[in-house]
Amino acid sequence: MFRILFYLVVIFLLGLGFAWLADRPGQLDLVFAGNRYEVSLMTAAVAVVALVAAIMVLWWLVRSIWTSPYTVARYFRVRRRDRGYQALSTGMIAAGAGDGGLARRMSQQAAKLISSDQEPLIHLLDAQAALLDGDRNAAREKFTAMLDDPEMRLLGLRGLYLEAERMGEREAARHYAERAAEAAPQLEWAATAALEGKTAEGDWDGAMKLLDGRKPSGTTAKEVASRRRAVLLTAKANDILDSDPQAARMAGLEAHKLRPDFVPAAVVAGRALFRLNELRKGSKVLESVWKKEPHPEVADVYIHARPGDSVQDRLTRAKRLESLKQNNAESSLIVGRAALDAGEFKLAREACETAARLGPREAVYLLMADIEEAETGDQGRVRQWLAKALRAPRDPAWVADGFVSERWAPISPVTGKLDAFEWRTPIERLAQVIEGEEDFTPPAIPAPEPEAPQNNDDAMAKEPVVIEAEAEQPPMPDKPETEEIVSPKPAEAVATVSKPVPANANSVEEEEAPVAPPSPDDPGVEPDKETNGSTQSGFRLF
């Protein structure tokens, strides 16, 4: 574009110059070799321009002829290079698609057309083709050879890291990741793997140093880095809490500042502050996280802030937590446990009922069983509450990669991932039964038994009839439509089953004693065997 504009400007200037000469006529005298030449000024100007143009064309022709061998060689070299890059591109696409054969052929063709020293991607294509062919040793050799090239070193470390992970060699994978992180801290995979290696060894300071060496860009990356730093600080504070409470206090408070809703950070900060007799500051830290995320560990540390407190003092602190987070099942459970320890069983029951309405789960029924045992000692009711706890939804716990733990940990014991534990309900039991509110009502007092009736008719009129499930009977044979089936009267049937026959009812038969009902596991006796073939009832079903 600029070249065309330049040519247009030159032509415009030439035209402007010729127009200016045409408006000013003149004559040019030239003496050469004893001859005198007289020409007009316009003719002389045209001759000079033509001479310059001829010289330029002649120079271009001479230069083209002189450089023609190099031009021809360069043309074929460029063409060969284009074919090589086309083969390299096709091979990379084939490797990405999983076509190992085509990738191998394109790699060989690209190696013939392009020098591997000029294009390092040929080594990558060779390694990918070897992986697709299943030749792991050849692929590792290719990646190892890349370590000698400064441009390919990170690529080689990445390939060796992935191969080590695929083979389950965690130590080797972490070694390659640490080397890559030292060379390029901005690499996410290298920094994450090296960080997990440091945390697995318990080197929290080294992990934080590695984390600080990175420069995250973007809001999301900064939030992830802040979250990881809070986890590392919390883990460090837990480790040094017994040996150096002051350092644990500083680490815990910094972690709490980075993540105000992170429960483990607030818990370890509160414990360190309580050990240093900073009760007010520790209480504020725990109260702030309780308002955002009610957690039993926070409540336990808050209630037992001072070991010498009485049960009434702990109950008062539990009520303080309940006032901070009302209409919450965890708050009610905390009050219920504290009330049980203080011997206030009525308050404990009311707290359990409130927790059951807000979120019934096994902790509610277990606490109710403890209250029942402490107040009444009724083992039957205690077993009933324990049975309900088995059928109720589980309590939340720290879960990471399917592993359930009672305590928080900075890394997953399964995969070694940092910050993997979450506070949620474990998914292990299906179809949980949620008990209703009527389960918390005290058992009804049985009504007094009525007086004995005067005669059998009154007894049958007042006594409720209990219909028990009968054993499955064989199908009845077909009967003529004109035949009637005589059914016993309800009073007679009940009298036959549940009451002895009076002495004056049948003088031949002996008086039958009352028969106890069969146990639930007893299938009973067939009617024919029970009556021993007798048909004294007056009717037959078959």
Side-chain angles (χ1 to χ4, degrees), residues 29-38:
D29 296 336
L30 178 62
V31 178
F32 180 73
N35 297 322
R36 183 178 180 179
Y37 302 93
E38 295 181 0

Side-chain angles (χ1 to χ4, degrees), residues 63-78:
R63 183 173 177 273
S64 299
I65 296 173
W66 182 264
T67 59
S68 58
Y70 173 77
T71 303
V72 173
R74 184 174 179 272
Y75 168 77
F76 286 106
R77 185 170 63 252
V78 171

Side-chain angles (χ1 to χ4, degrees), residues 456 492-515 536-537:
N456 292 338
E492 295 176 354
V494 174
T496 304
V497 176
S498 61
K499 291 185 176 296
V501 180
N504 57 0
N506 192 345
S507 60
V508 180
E509 298 291 339
E510 295 180 359
E511 183 178 358
E512 297 179 359
V515 180
Q536 298 296 330
S537 60

Side-chain angles (χ1 to χ4, degrees), residues 23-79:
D23 293 339
R24 291 168 178 79
Q27 187 174 357
L28 178 64
D29 296 336
L30 178 62
V31 178
F32 180 73
N35 297 322
R36 183 178 180 179
Y37 302 93
E38 295 181 0
V39 294
S40 62
L41 188 59
M42 179 62 69
T43 303
V46 171
V48 170
V49 172
L51 180 61
V52 172
I55 293 173
M56 292 178 62
V57 171
L58 181 62
W59 172 253
W60 177 78
L61 290 175
V62 173
R63 183 173 177 273
S64 299
I65 296 173
W66 182 264
T67 59
S68 58
Y70 173 77
T71 303
V72 173
R74 184 174 179 272
Y75 168 77
F76 286 106
R77 185 170 63 252
V78 171
R79 183 181 178 185

Side-chain angles (χ1 to χ4, degrees), residues 5 13 34 40 42 48 88 127 136 205 227 244 325 336 355 360 404 413 417 426 440 462 485 503 526:
L5 292 176
L13 293 177
S40 62
M42 179 62 69
V48 170
L88 181 61
R136 303 290 181 183
D205 292 331
R227 183 183 182 91
D244 192 354
K325 194 69 175 181
V404 182
K417 181 181 179 182
F440 292 86
K462 295 181 180 180
I485 300 176
E526 296 181 3

